[in-house]
């Protein structure tokens, strides 16, 4: 992949709403070339989607519950972990699934309205999959940083620094 494509990807990864004209100036190519590169990257499935980072704690009645579930599974012959991961990521509650190294095989991120709803997902849906051996659920208590965006930055300390 050439330098301009990588540079464009790095910029839009941190700001997916950047105007094409601004993006073109930043990478020093024409708007037409920039649009063509973006279109090609989308067609090649390098750019999968454009999304916003939302602080749901600031939206009334929308905070919900996020859980990270460590899942130990028995890999299946010929497909390894892929088939189990696909079965898990098809559930609408599942926001992300990752193959991991270490004590657990898969890390599953889910979102629900309540802790009870989340626990029902684990007991009724996830744990009942044949290949799932065990699960460990971790509930997210507070979000400090997500996708490179810091949440609730405190005010700067405006005191004068005095050193001996």
């Amino acid at each position: 992949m050439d330098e301009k494509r990588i540079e464009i990807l790095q910029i839009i990864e941190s700001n997916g709403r950047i105007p094409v004209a601004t993006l073109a100036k930043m990478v020093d190519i024409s708007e037409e070339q920039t649009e063509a590169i973006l279109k090609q990257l989308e067609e090649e499935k390098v750019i999968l989607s454009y999304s916003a980072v939302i602080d749901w704690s600031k939206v009334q009645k929308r905070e919900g519950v996020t859980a990270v579930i460590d899942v130990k599974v028995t890999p299946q012959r010929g497909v390894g972990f892929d088939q189990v991961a696909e079965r898990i990521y098809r559930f609408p509650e599942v926001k992300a699934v990752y193959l991991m190294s270490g004590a657990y095989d898969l890390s599953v991120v889910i979102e629900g309205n309540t802790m009870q709803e989340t626990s029902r997902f684990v007991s009724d849906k996830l744990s009942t999959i044949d290949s799932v051996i065990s699960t460990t659920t971790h509930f997210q208590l507070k979000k400090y940083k997500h996708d490179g965006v810091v949440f609730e930055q405190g005010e700067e300390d405006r005191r004068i620094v005095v050193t001996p």
Side-chain angles (χ1 to χ4, degrees):
M1 195 171 286
D2 70 354
E3 270 183 54
K4 294 297 181 186
R5 288 168 50 117
I6 292 171
E7 199 173 346
I8 287 171
L9 288 170
Q10 289 171 334
I11 294 167
I12 65 168
E13 184 176 38
S14 63
N15 181 3
R17 290 184 53 140
I18 191 167
V20 173
T22 306
L23 183 59
K25 287 177 187 172
M26 291 175 75
V27 297
D28 196 30
I29 58 176
S30 72
E31 287 184 44
E32 293 77 22
Q33 288 175 300
T34 304
E35 286 175 348
I37 290 171
L38 287 170
K39 186 175 188 235
Q40 183 181 25
L41 291 167
E42 290 167 357
E43 288 171 356
E44 293 172 358
K45 303 283 188 225
V46 174
I47 298 173
L48 299 174
S49 74
Y50 299 88
S51 63
V53 177
I54 310 292
D55 186 351
W56 287 109
S57 68
K58 294 182 179 175
V59 179
Q60 283 188 329
K61 300 180 183 178
R62 281 291 305 187
E63 195 164 352
V65 175
T66 301
V68 178
I69 307 163
D70 297 327
V71 184
K72 191 163 192 66
V73 301
T74 303
Q76 296 181 350
R77 183 166 299 202
V79 292
F81 298 101
D82 295 346
Q83 197 170 45
V84 179
E86 182 179 348
R87 186 154 179 215
I88 293 170
Y89 72 61
R90 290 188 181 277
F91 290 112
E93 300 91 340
V94 175
K95 299 303 172 200
V97 178
Y98 306 98
L99 180 61
M100 305 296 288
S101 64
Y104 290 89
D105 303 308
L106 299 173
S107 181
V108 178
V109 179
I110 68 165
E111 291 179 357
N113 293 318
T114 64
M115 288 179 77
Q116 289 78 20
E117 184 180 299
T118 303
S119 65
R120 276 194 302 276
F121 169 80
V122 174
S123 63
D124 297 349
K125 295 179 180 178
L126 188 60
S127 297
T128 60
I129 297 173
D130 290 337
S131 299
V132 172
I133 299 169
S134 67
T135 64
T136 302
T137 304
H138 309 275
F139 287 98
Q140 177 183 299
L141 300 177
K142 184 175 181 178
K143 192 181 290 189
Y144 293 100
K145 186 175 182 178
H146 181 79
D147 283 346
V149 178
V150 176
F151 287 64
E152 292 190 35
Q153 291 182 343
E155 285 191 32
E156 290 182 31
D157 189 352
R158 297 180 185 199
R159 298 177 289 178
I160 298 173
V161 177
V162 179
T163 57

